[in-house]
Structures are given as C-alpha cells and as structure tokens.
Amino acid sequence: MSRSISRRAFMAFGGLALAGTLTLAQAAPVSFEVPLTGAQQVPPVQTPGSGSADLTYDPSTHVVTWNIRFSGLSSQATMAHFHGPAPAGKNAGVKVWLSQKGSMEMTSPLSGQATLSPDDVKMFEAGDMYINVHTKNNPNGEIRGQVVPPKSN
C-alpha cells in the first residue's frame, strides 16, 4: 500500500515538474528586430536617416531590452521612446523612455531595458506600440518602427 502511494506521489510530482518546465519553455524570451524609417512617421518624414531596434522581451518578467542603431538623420537625435497604444499609421503618447529622460542629446547605439507595466504589456504584446526617434529638425519624430513581437507557437 505504501508503494502505491509512493508511486502516485512520484507521478504527481513528476507531472507538476513537467508542467512547470513546459510553462517556462512557453514563456521564453523572444528577440526580434524593428526597422526604423521616416516613411513610418505620421505624417511621413522625408529623411535620409534610418535605423533598427534589436529588442528582447521576456513575457514572464515583462522586461524588454533594446539596442537601437540609427544613422543619416537630418539633425542631432534628441530622444527616443516607446509610444502607444497605436497601430501603424496612428500616433500616441509616450509610454516608456528609451533615451535618458531630460537629456536632449543622444547617440547611436542606444541600449537599455525596462520593466513594462501591466497595461504596457498588453499594448506591447498586441503590437500596439512603436519606437520613435526624435531629432532637432523633427521634434515629433524623424524615424519610427512598429513593435510587433513574433507570435509564439
């Protein structure tokens, strides 16, 4: 009888351990690239500038890390943010500062990380955030890219 209980306990524990492993595997961090162009600005900006943002997002901790590169901008880059909620073609307010808040000058590359709020997580995961790099000549943004995390299987 004690052997039967031990087997059941072992099976239950093994099942829970496997379920925990599967949950961790499903919540693995995802990395993706976001192209940044003037054409994605609203309204579009004619600029020789472009860039890209390498993002890594961990859905279990809600931490997003970034490495943003840009070049050819019409003037000094002043700040960068995640904006939302907004689909492509729409504008929205600042949600997360990517550059140093209060500093009106930044250089490429720009790296950092932030923990998203529960509301920001919903926007981010739904593809309703965008990255905007602002410049002296284009204070509303010179290059922009819609953040669309890859769908997990």
Side-chain angles (χ1 to χ4, degrees), residues 56-139:
T56 300
Y57 174 65
D58 187 334
S60 64
T61 63
H62 303 154
V63 172
V64 62
T65 60
W66 59 86
N67 185 2
I68 302 170
R69 297 169 312 284
F70 50 87
S71 62
L73 300 176
S74 68
S75 61
Q76 174 65 49
T78 56
M79 57 188 140
H81 314 102
F82 281 123
H83 290 254
K90 301 287 183 187
N91 288 324
V94 172
K95 297 308 288 178
V96 177
W97 279 77
L98 303 175
S99 58
Q100 183 179 352
K101 191 173 184 176
S103 173
M104 290 302 287
E105 210 170 279
M106 59 180 224
T107 58
S108 177
L110 175 65
S111 298
Q113 75 173 32
T115 301
L116 300 178
S117 72
D119 286 341
D120 291 348
V121 165
K122 289 176 190 169
M123 281 180 254
F124 188 92
E125 291 179 352
D128 284 335
M129 279 191 168
Y130 62 91
I131 293 171
N132 210 356
V133 176
H134 305 260
T135 63
K136 286 184 180 178
N137 288 351
N138 293 283

Side-chain angles (χ1 to χ4, degrees), residues 19-31 56-63 125 152-153:
T21 302
L22 292 175
T23 301
L24 288 176
Q26 291 173 347
V30 293
S31 296
T56 300
Y57 174 65
D58 187 334
S60 64
T61 63
H62 303 154
V63 172
E125 291 179 352
S152 59
N153 294 333

